[in-house]
Amino acid sequence: MQTPIRFLPLFIALFGLTMSYKVEPLPDSYAGLGEGPHWDVATQSLYYVDLEAGKLLRYDFKENKVYKTQIEGEKLAAFVLPIQGKPQEFAVGCARRVVVVKWDGVSPVAKVVRTLFEVQKELELNRWNDAKTDPRGRFFGGTMRYVGNEFQFRHGELYKWEAGGEVSIVKGDVGISNGLAWDEKINKFYYIDTTDYEVKSYDYDFETGVASNPKVIFNLRKTSPEDHLLPDGLTIDTKGNLYVATFNGATIFKVNPRNGEVLLEIKFPTKQITSAAFGGPKLDILYVTTAAKFDQPEPAGTTYQVTGLNATGYPGTYLKA
């Protein structure tokens, strides 16, 4: 049967066909442990980190170019969150501190200008891992043990912080605090502790920032522990579907959180997929960070863009600090 071009979208919708997606590397985008992608609308840029190198990176969409900077005196940079009203200031997770780093987005060196807060001062083997701002500008982020076995030593915690207030613990007994996402349409918060091999949903009060009633909505366990997939970073599209990165699976799963159904498996030419964020002028490009840990071969550590997903997401929210 021949289908006229003008009826092709209807044909696709009726017969459940999906458009093909395209995975492409960003130029000179390597990060040994790429993490924390955050799309900034004002600069049309993707910010992310090279976590174990203490570096920030910025992909300029218009220039199709990646700028990199070393944070002076720091060896770790777990996340990068632009601060509201201060275009050259970013909240960055350095060890167990959340510091404000000043960077013009171009210079090869950036400087810490002040510390917002610090957690777990006595746990020197812990560090920050993933963090984001909720849609109201609150900080949410968690820690993990980075020396030794994170699955055995569950010394991490998930924290919340608001400008003018004290940092508070949202959840204890965390192995590797990872992906976070929110859905204002249905008042939900989604969270990943990698060592639990699952994604949990919480009821979320956007006025108070309180999460409650955890429920497993996506399970990545296989038949034997050696085969369990490791969920890492997380993002959400405007229809409420989740995009779950797998650190050992070369895949991002597009998941319907209402029933746990996998809607799409997005495949990559490298194994350690760390996180994802929507961006681009139309917020329809999925940017994906990867890692090159444990002697992974090229192209490990490359940052990718995925187009043709027929989905849009949300830009990153500025931190109120």
Side-chain angles (χ1 to χ4, degrees), residues 173-188:
D173 186 35
V174 173
I176 303 175
S177 189
N178 244 318
L180 312 102
W182 290 263
D183 191 337
E184 287 191 272
K185 295 176 183 177
I186 58 173
N187 296 316
K188 292 292 184 182

Side-chain angles (χ1 to χ4, degrees), residues 197 218-230 246 248-249 253 262 265:
Y197 310 105
F218 186 49
N219 189 340
L220 289 94
R221 292 177 181 84
K222 301 299 180 182
T223 53
S224 65
E226 298 79 26
D227 298 325
H228 291 345
L229 289 176
L230 300 174
T246 55
N248 60 342
F253 292 96
V262 174
E265 295 185 15

